[in-house]
Amino acid sequence: MSLQGKTAVITGSNSGIGLGIAREMARAGASVVLNSFTDNEEDHALARGIAEEHGVEARYIQADMSNPEACRALIEKAGACDILMNNAGIQHVAPIEDFPTAKWDAIIAINLSSAFHTTAAALPMMRKAGWGRVVNIASAHGLTASPYKSAYIAAKHGIVGLTKTTALETAEEPITANAICPGYVLTPLVESQIPDTMKEYDMSREDVIRDVMLKRQPSKEFATVEQMGGTAVFLCSDAAAQITGTTISVDGGWTAL
Ligand code: NAD
């Protein structure tokens, strides 16, 4: 599968799944645009490292995905966007009555609204190029719920709906829109949930991983960032040209339960 000549913009890609996707896109020959809200030397070094390893063009563009104008400016600054991967995301865990309003607003802005803004900016570029792929990183929590993650689950169900609408609005064009629904992947986002869960349930790290996190993942294994990247590359292939408006679960059987 060669994505040579295509430019992939991956939001929230200086870490975790986004970085894994960027690496697999570059391995497939795409030029990549990495992004996060920071503007550190390490961010730009990540892009340089990918460019050197895969012989592709790779850039890092700072943009805060909680800011609608910045979301649209990211796509404009990229200059081309054949492949849009909406991946930026944050998490907060609390019962609804204690859930801070600011956290709710930030999660809806970063995990859901950013994808609306980047998609709105990218579709005209895809139409002009005569080809496009939108891949939204939803979650098993875009299809099922868990307690204490109200904002995250609302945002992830929302992005599955946005994916379907994007697919219908582009259905007669060579553009597709799909969502990947990962189960648990051991990234910094998931690592950061372990200490609180250990405290909440008075459990060891190993017990939290096995009995809480992977409780609903029948494979009893974390999915990997490479598997997310491989699935994203598949969705950009010719074999996936008629796959649109759907979700692909990479969750070790979670949503089969
Ligand atoms: P992560 O914390 O490693 O990565 C999140 C990325 O989003 C980082 O690059 C971070 O810098 C970026 N980000 C956060 N706020 C941002 C902002 N305001 N503007 C721009 N970028 C911002 O976490 P991850 O696990 O790799 O998560 C990536 C995506 O995958 C998220 O949408 C998450 O909901 C989803 N997901 C993760 C899992 C999992 O188990 N790790 C499961 C299902 C879905």
Side-chain angles (χ1 to χ4, degrees):
M1 173 66 216
S2 174
L3 293 177
Q4 231 168 355
K6 309 291 188 202
T7 299
V9 180
I10 307 111
T11 72
S13 47
N14 67 351
S15 143
I17 293 173
L19 183 55
I21 289 176
R23 292 203 161 111
E24 294 306 313
M25 285 282 140
R27 194 187 307 283
S31 300
V32 295
V33 174
L34 274 66
N35 153 265
S36 185
F37 60 94
T38 51
D39 198 12
N40 301 323
E41 171 48 27
E42 302 90 76
D43 297 324
H44 295 275
L46 280 175
R48 281 198 301 277
I50 288 177
E52 274 162 30
E53 188 178 349
H54 299 289
V56 297
E57 200 185 312
R59 285 175 293 154
Y60 177 86
I61 302 179
Q62 185 275 343
D64 184 346
M65 291 297 104
S66 67
N67 175 326
E69 287 75 38
C71 295
R72 290 170 190 257
L74 167 67
I75 305 301
E76 301 304 328
K77 282 182 195 159
C81 183
D82 306 293
I83 300 166
L84 171 63
M85 304 266 164
N86 287 304
N87 169 78
I90 58 168
Q91 175 64 286
H92 185 79
V93 180
I96 290 173
E97 63 273 29
D98 300 333
F99 211 95
T101 302
K103 284 282 181 201
W104 170 275
D105 289 344
I107 290 174
I108 298 298
I110 296 166
N111 297 22
L112 174 59
S113 303
S114 71
F116 162 71
H117 297 297
T118 55
T119 302
L123 284 181
M125 288 185 185
M126 293 179 181
R127 290 192 166 116
K128 205 165 163 206
W131 189 90
R133 295 284 185 268
V134 179
V135 180
N136 294 324
I137 305 305
S139 169
H141 278 133
L143 305 169
T144 65
S146 299
Y148 314 126
K149 296 183 177 176
S150 53
Y152 188 85
I153 283 159
K156 293 298 185 181
H157 277 68
I159 207 161
V160 169
L162 174 66
T163 306
K164 291 178 184 175
T165 296
T166 308
L168 293 181
E169 291 188 18
T170 55
E172 293 187 28
E173 303 169 83
I175 296 173
T176 67
N178 293 288
I180 297 176
C181 293
Y184 270 109
V185 185
L186 194 55
T187 63
L189 182 140
V190 167
E191 265 301 339
S192 71
Q193 293 174 47
I194 295 176
D196 280 353
T197 316
M198 285 168 66
K199 235 184 281 162
E200 191 181 334
Y201 294 105
D202 192 21
M203 276 178 162
S204 69
R205 179 184 163 84
E206 292 65 35
D207 288 350
V208 162
I209 289 175
R210 193 188 56 243
D211 298 336
V212 180
M213 293 189 154
L214 298 181
K215 185 177 174 197
R216 292 170 71 181
Q217 198 145 309
S219 66
K220 297 294 167 207
E221 281 182 33
F222 284 110
T224 67
V225 300
E226 290 77 14
Q227 290 160 358
M228 299 310 146
T231 306
V233 169
F234 165 69
L235 285 171
C236 295
S237 71
D238 291 342
Q242 283 299 313
I243 300 178
T244 195
T246 195
T247 57
I248 297 192
S249 293
V250 186
D251 66 2
W254 178 333
T255 43
L257 276 176

